[in-house]
Amino acid sequence: MKILSRNTSSSKSTSNGKNAAPIRSPRVILHRNISNGLRRDNLASRNLLILIYIGPLIIFCLGITCGYLYIFPNLEQAFYQDAASSRVCDFFDGSWVLDDRYPLYNSSECPFTEQGFNCLDNGRKDKNYLKWRWKPKNCDIPIFNASRTLKRLQGKRIVFVGDSMSRTQWESLVCLLMTGVEDKRSVYEVKGRNITKTTRHLAVRFRSLNLSVEFYRSVFLVQPGMVPKHSPKRVKSTLKLDVLDDISKEWVDSDALIFNSGHWWIPSKLYEAGCYFQLGGSLKLGESITSAYKKAMSTWASWVEALVNSNKTHVFFRTFEPSHWSKQSRTHCKVIQVPESDDDNIQQSPFSDIVTDIVKRMNIPVTMLQITSMSASRGDAHVGNWSDHKSFTDCSHWCLPGVPDFWNEILLHYLFLH
């Protein structure tokens, strides 16, 4: 009875579908277990395939990341170390070597070259002086590339300040740049001025590039002054050693500012012409030229530190250029056919030494273009008797094309490095 009662109870419970666990077929259970196993196997296979295909990509990305973090910075550092080493290379310690790629332009095709510097057009027959290139000992200067240089100078203002030697360098740079311009009419002097020895300001504009290359005539850099009252009769004019030239305010807003001064600091341009020095309003009749020059350059340095924005403007000072007059007289040049050896041309200038010493103590960077020694080798490249005035011998200025082109190659190299 108890057994029957239990079976009946169980049967009722089952039929009502309550409380009792459902009875499953062993085949169904087995099938589900096999399916679950297959799913797990497929999942593992897919994970394995994903790992096989994606793994190398992950390793590659990890390699790039490590390279960026550890290798590339070292390469970048090496690059800047190379750039730094080129900065410290002495571009002015070298020699002149023959190079048939020169000259780089024809003065007769450049409207901004003075006729007096166009030696070939003025009758010079030999052309060997045009084939020499300046080669530093431990580095090299890339040969001038006009189109590349123009692109890098786009929107810039380059300003030369100084005497006629500065004007020669200005003419050289303009003519070099013009070789990369297709439409020569797009290059013009902004006010249509002719190039003369007395013009105070000349500005050549490259219209398509918004580029301006300018020259300001300021032979002493400091301001000429009136004769103070009660001065001796021999005093005809003065130089204010503590005041920069009155046109100096026009030099400031530039990208490159290149100075030179020294050739007019000689007795024939000063004492013999009745020009003496003035300091603080007082006449200094006994002041020596070298002492006066030092005071004037100190005034220049103070002006640069006070008014020039070194974040925008790169300041240069080009040292004194040697002349090649005959020792017997100042009417003939010391004529040579090829550049002289370095040992024969170790020349020093007190003016160059003074400026170099002042620049070392300045609070903003100024690059010295130490062209004195390298130019001393080139007694073959002066205007000589090939100026536009046949009766005048010129052993100071240079033929164009010529030596000033290499000053500009060095100038541009420094400018682009910074």
Side-chain angles (χ1 to χ4, degrees):
M1 291 290 297
K2 292 181 179 177
I3 294 175
L4 179 62
S5 173
R6 289 174 182 172
N7 289 341
T8 304
S9 171
S10 172
S11 181
K12 290 179 180 179
S13 299
T14 302
S15 62
N16 292 335
K18 299 178 181 179
N19 299 325
I23 299 174
R24 299 172 182 170
S25 168
R27 291 181 180 179
V28 173
I29 294 173
L30 178 62
H31 175 73
R32 289 180 178 176
N33 288 338
I34 293 173
S35 299
N36 291 337
L38 289 174
R39 289 193 190 98
R40 286 193 293 270
D41 290 343
N42 290 336
L43 182 62
S45 298
R46 283 199 303 271
N47 290 340
L48 181 60
L49 289 173
I50 290 172
L51 184 62
I52 290 173
Y53 286 109
I54 297 180
L57 181 61
I58 295 174
I59 294 172
F60 176 76
C61 293
L62 288 173
I64 291 295
T65 303
C66 292
Y68 179 79
L69 292 174
Y70 300 103
I71 299 175
F72 292 151
N74 293 331
L75 291 177
E76 184 179 14
Q77 182 180 6
F79 172 79
Y80 283 111
Q81 285 176 347
D82 288 342
S85 64
S86 66
R87 287 192 185 98
V88 299
C89 178
D90 187 354
F91 292 106
F92 306 100
D93 181 16
S95 59
W96 294 93
V97 297
L98 283 170
D99 192 329
D100 287 334
R101 292 175 295 179
Y102 290 85
L104 300 179
Y105 61 91
N106 184 340
S107 286
S108 297
E109 297 175 357
C110 180
F112 303 102
T113 303
E114 292 180 60
Q115 185 61 36
F117 301 153
N118 189 351
C119 296
L120 291 180
D121 199 47
N122 292 331
R124 185 165 184 172
K125 300 301 181 183
D126 67 291
K127 298 182 180 179
N128 293 334
Y129 73 97
L130 297 170
K131 298 297 183 180
W132 295 96
R133 172 176 65 89
W134 178 251
K135 172 66 176 71
K137 285 183 179 178
N138 300 318
C139 51
D140 210 345
I141 305 166
I143 189 170
F144 176 79
N145 182 296
S147 58
R148 188 180 306 146
T149 302
L150 285 169
K151 289 179 181 178
R152 299 188 72 174
L153 292 179
Q154 185 170 359
K156 304 298 184 184
R157 181 180 181 229
I158 313 298
V159 174
F160 291 87
V161 180
D163 52 31
S164 58
M165 303 298 182
S166 184
R167 191 178 71 248
T168 308
Q169 187 178 1
W170 169 78
E171 293 177 27
S172 163
L173 181 59
V174 172
C175 292
L176 283 168
L177 294 175
M178 281 198 68
T179 61
V181 178
E182 293 185 6
D183 183 7
K184 307 299 184 186
R185 295 172 300 177
S186 67
V187 183
Y188 55 92
E189 206 287 322
V190 293
K191 293 187 178 180
R193 289 167 291 207
N194 293 323
I195 301 174
T196 68
K197 297 179 180 180
T198 57
T199 304
R200 294 211 74 188
H201 178 223
L202 293 162
V204 170
R205 184 171 182 79
F206 293 74
R207 183 176 57 205
S208 61
L209 296 166
N210 190 28
L211 165 64
S212 177
V213 184
E214 304 177 37
F215 165 71
Y216 285 89
R217 185 176 186 270
S218 180
V219 298
F220 297 109
L221 298 184
V222 291
Q223 185 174 324
M226 301 296 293
V227 179
K229 293 180 179 180
H230 310 299
S231 297
K233 290 183 179 181
R234 69 175 184 272
V235 180
K236 308 298 182 183
S237 62
T238 63
L239 282 180
K240 297 181 179 180
L241 301 178
D242 53 350
V243 182
L244 214 63
D245 201 329
D246 58 359
I247 59 173
S248 58
K249 59 182 180 297
E250 300 179 30
W251 311 338
V252 176
D253 187 23
S254 56
D255 297 281
L257 192 50
I258 306 99
F259 293 94
N260 93 297
S261 184
H263 280 273
W264 280 59
W265 292 81
I266 54 177
S268 62
K269 299 290 186 180
L270 293 168
Y271 302 145
E272 295 174 18
C275 183
Y276 291 84
F277 307 117
Q278 192 175 349
L279 189 63
S282 301
L283 195 61
K284 301 294 182 181
L285 294 175
E287 190 88 31
S288 69
I289 290 179
T290 53
S291 175
Y293 184 83
K294 185 175 183 179
K295 289 181 172 66
M297 294 306 105
S298 296
T299 298
W300 164 82
S302 298
W303 177 90
V304 170
E305 291 178 332
L307 296 179
V308 173
N309 179 5
S310 60
N311 293 323
K312 173 181 172 58
T313 305
H314 191 162
V315 181
F316 298 86
F317 200 106
R318 183 170 50 75
T319 60
F320 188 83
E321 303 171 37
S323 300
H324 290 83
W325 294 95
S326 171
K327 292 182 180 180
Q328 284 74 27
S329 68
R330 297 280 296 180
T331 58
H332 295 87
C333 296
K334 181 185 175 183
V335 179
I336 59 174
Q337 298 300 317
V338 296
E340 296 175 293
S341 65
D342 292 342
D343 295 337
D344 298 330
N345 298 288
I346 301 175
Q347 292 197 19
Q348 297 294 327
S349 164
F351 299 131
S352 299
D353 295 339
I354 288 170
V355 178
T356 301
D357 185 59
I358 288 173
V359 164
K360 288 179 181 178
R361 300 195 302 268
M362 292 179 65
N363 295 323
I364 70 171
V366 174
T367 300
M368 292 295 297
L369 299 176
Q370 300 277 6
I371 59 89
T372 305
S373 292
M374 67 178 283
S375 304
S377 307
R378 297 304 308 274
D380 61 319
H382 284 294
V383 171
N385 295 317
W386 298 285
S387 70
D388 52 343
H389 299 290
K390 300 301 181 183
S391 60
F392 176 70
T393 302
D394 188 347
C395 310
S396 297
H397 294 93
W398 307 89
C399 296
L400 291 179
V403 173
D405 302 333
F406 298 95
W407 305 340
N408 283 321
E409 286 195 1
I410 297 174
L411 166 70
L412 291 169
H413 190 59
Y414 271 116
L415 188 61
F416 294 152
L417 275 178
H418 292 272

